Amino acid sequence: MSYFYLVLATPFIFALLVPILYKKINPRVHTGWFVLLVPLVLFLYLLSYSAEVYERGAIYLSLPWIPSYDINLTVTIDGLSLIFSLLITGIGFLVVLYSIYYMSKLKEALHNFYVYILLFMGSMLGLVFSDNIFVLYVFWEVTSISSFLLIAYWFEREHSRTGALKSLLITIFGGFAMLAGFILTSIIADTYSIQEMIGKINVIQSHPFFIPAMVLILTGAFTKSAQFPFSIW
């Protein structure tokens, strides 16, 4: 079970290897064929948890990170997080497969593109499995940065640079709003664990900081998903 953390680490590790593969492999072999293995293997591995999650309901794992601040790499593997992780890796597989036939290795800086894709995939997986709200926030901001890099991939085009800058400014603003909401919620619930917060939902809802905290968290969610009035990017 401890090997599950490799699921979160694999996209980031492979992102470091992509530039090396890009230079070393035969120029006629598309880099995407190697990258394609990452979402495929992760999808199959995550799918293997289906029966266990169905039987147990949820699986909890914890790895110390910053114990002095009670911040650990705690993950929750339940039906919802598993479904989202399968969507992330499944759609990631399709995106990489499509890019192999759409993007030329001779004309495009594919090593950059696949690094950004893997960063985005890894941060999304960390996001859906994280139980600690501050670890979740770290992954949340990595999605903002990787989104910025993906949008600005064709940086020689002015509209790509403009769109990327808009997305970065709006999502980073939303991220800070969400962080403030997380801090308020952790103060109310006296815990950093999302699962423990769910267990204290009545305490949270009756607290005077509840509405401000929810407004701040929803602001972060609205900016990330480009909902009105943050849909301009």
Side-chain angles (χ1 to χ4, degrees):
M1 192 66 68
S2 59
Y3 291 113
F4 186 83
Y5 285 99
L6 287 175
V7 172
L8 305 182
T10 296
F12 298 106
I13 294 172
F14 213 84
L16 298 175
L17 299 177
V18 165
I20 300 173
L21 288 172
Y22 180 77
K23 292 181 179 180
K24 297 296 183 180
I25 61 177
N26 191 313
R28 291 175 294 179
V29 179
H30 202 286
T31 313
W33 288 116
F34 296 91
V35 178
L36 193 64
L37 293 173
V38 177
L40 176 60
V41 171
L42 291 180
F43 180 88
L44 295 175
Y45 181 76
L46 290 166
L47 192 62
S48 69
Y49 277 84
S50 301
E52 189 173 357
V53 169
Y54 179 77
E55 293 176 1
R56 296 174 55 178
I59 303 169
Y60 304 100
L61 302 172
S62 185
L63 188 69
W65 185 29
I66 313 177
S68 57
Y69 288 95
D70 196 26
I71 299 177
N72 301 314
L73 295 174
T74 307
V75 301
T76 301
I77 311 169
D78 57 12
L80 185 62
S81 62
L82 193 60
I83 288 172
F84 274 108
S85 67
L86 291 173
L87 285 172
I88 292 165
T89 52
I91 294 173
F93 174 84
L94 294 176
V95 169
V96 175
L97 182 63
Y98 180 82
S99 70
I100 293 173
Y101 296 96
Y102 180 75
M103 304 176 73
S104 169
K105 182 177 180 179
L106 301 177
K107 298 179 181 179
E108 303 283 358
L110 291 180
H111 55 303
N112 292 336
F113 175 75
Y114 288 126
V115 166
Y116 305 157
I117 283 287
L118 290 168
L119 287 177
F120 186 78
M121 187 186 307
S123 57
M124 286 294 292
L125 287 173
L127 192 63
V128 300
F129 285 120
S130 293
D131 180 60
N132 187 291
I133 57 172
F134 294 116
V135 174
L136 184 150
Y137 173 73
V138 171
F139 284 116
W140 183 272
E141 291 303 332
V142 177
T143 63
S144 297
I145 295 170
S146 53
S147 295
F148 164 77
L149 293 171
L150 283 168
I151 296 170
Y153 173 68
W154 281 305
F155 58 86
E156 69 280 0
R157 303 176 185 179
E158 184 178 355
H159 68 274
S160 294
R161 297 194 302 271
T162 303
L165 184 59
K166 283 182 182 179
S167 73
L168 184 66
L169 293 174
I170 292 173
T171 56
I172 291 296
F173 159 75
F176 282 130
M178 179 170 279
L179 177 60
F182 283 166
I183 292 172
L184 285 176
T185 307
S186 67
I187 292 172
I188 298 169
D190 193 29
T191 181
Y192 301 147
S193 168
I194 296 173
Q195 295 301 314
E196 291 180 16
M197 288 178 180
I198 293 172
K200 297 181 178 180
I201 189 65
N202 292 331
V203 175
I204 296 174
Q205 288 179 335
S206 61
H207 198 281
F209 285 167
F210 170 67
I211 293 179
M214 290 303 100
V215 169
L216 289 167
I217 292 173
L218 287 173
T219 298
F222 271 50
T223 57
K224 181 71 73 176
S225 55
Q227 300 296 316
F228 181 82
F230 306 107
S231 54
I232 60 172
W233 69 270

